Amino acid sequence: MSKLHLRNRVRPEILRYAANMRARPTRHEREVWHFLRNKNLGVTFYSQSVLRGYIADFYCPKAKLVIEVDGPSHEAVADFGRDLALDSLGIKVLHIKNKQVEQDYAGVFRKIAATVRTRITDQNARWWIDTLVDYFETRLQEINEGS
């Protein structure tokens, strides 16, 4: 499904609000965006994308994956409705809590990478993700051994 199809008939104020959120991400969103941007996982992610009237923190069309960084402002009922609407389009929503980003950044990275890997069929992109995760794990081990 094309990006245009997902964004059709979106009220201009929602697009402006998404642009404002993109310009002023939370600290936790900034940290997650750090490794999602620039095809760091071998696929393109967009921040604060409007999908069927909902604003997704991060969206990867190739993996049909939305990543939500959930802080105290997220409401379970609203999130559930959005998740159901996106699920009906074949889009998986992965929720990451702010606390997870703070306490287990490496675990968040692994979880996102594993989810992306299972949702794409491109072997080159899968190879890139596996290589990146191996590198990340090696660096993390080196850092921990140096402490």
Side-chain angles (χ1 to χ4, degrees), residues 41-106:
L41 285 177
V43 291
T44 301
F45 275 89
Y46 299 95
S47 66
Q48 305 303 332
S49 290
V50 179
L51 306 171
R52 289 285 170 101
Y54 297 100
I55 300 173
D57 289 340
F58 306 106
Y59 175 57
C60 176
K62 190 170 193 172
K64 293 189 96 178
L65 175 66
V66 163
I67 298 172
E68 284 295 314
V69 181
D70 295 341
S73 67
H74 280 261
E75 298 176 21
V77 174
D79 284 352
F80 183 71
R82 185 218 33 240
D83 293 358
L84 281 178
L86 294 177
D87 185 61
S88 73
L89 300 171
I91 299 172
K92 177 176 177 54
V93 180
L94 178 63
H95 291 273
I96 308 275
K97 301 269 187 222
N98 283 351
K99 241 185 200 349
Q100 290 174 282
V101 176
E102 290 173 8
Q103 297 173 352
D104 188 16
Y105 188 73

Side-chain angles (χ1 to χ4, degrees), residues 5 9 12-13 24 29 31 40 42 45 63 65 72 74 89-90 93 95-96 98-99 104 115 118 126 128 136 140 147:
H5 181 70
R9 297 189 208 119
E13 60 270 15
R24 294 177 181 80
E29 288 170 349
E31 290 178 22
N40 284 338
F45 275 89
L65 175 66
H74 280 261
L89 300 171
V93 180
H95 291 273
I96 308 275
N98 283 351
K99 241 185 200 349
D104 188 16
T115 304
T118 62
R126 283 182 164 197
W128 176 251
F136 182 76
L140 193 58
S147 300

Side-chain angles (χ1 to χ4, degrees), residues 94-144:
L94 178 63
H95 291 273
I96 308 275
K97 301 269 187 222
N98 283 351
K99 241 185 200 349
Q100 290 174 282
V101 176
E102 290 173 8
Q103 297 173 352
D104 188 16
Y105 188 73
V108 167
F109 170 80
R110 286 185 205 102
K111 184 176 186 177
I112 293 171
T115 304
V116 169
R117 190 184 188 289
T118 62
R119 297 195 52 86
I120 59 174
T121 57
D122 181 341
Q123 292 302 317
N124 289 332
R126 283 182 164 197
W127 175 85
W128 176 251
I129 291 169
D130 291 343
T131 302
L132 182 67
V133 170
D134 288 346
Y135 172 78
F136 182 76
E137 294 291 346
T138 302
R139 291 292 298 136
L140 193 58
Q141 186 175 359
E142 291 170 358
I143 291 167
N144 288 336

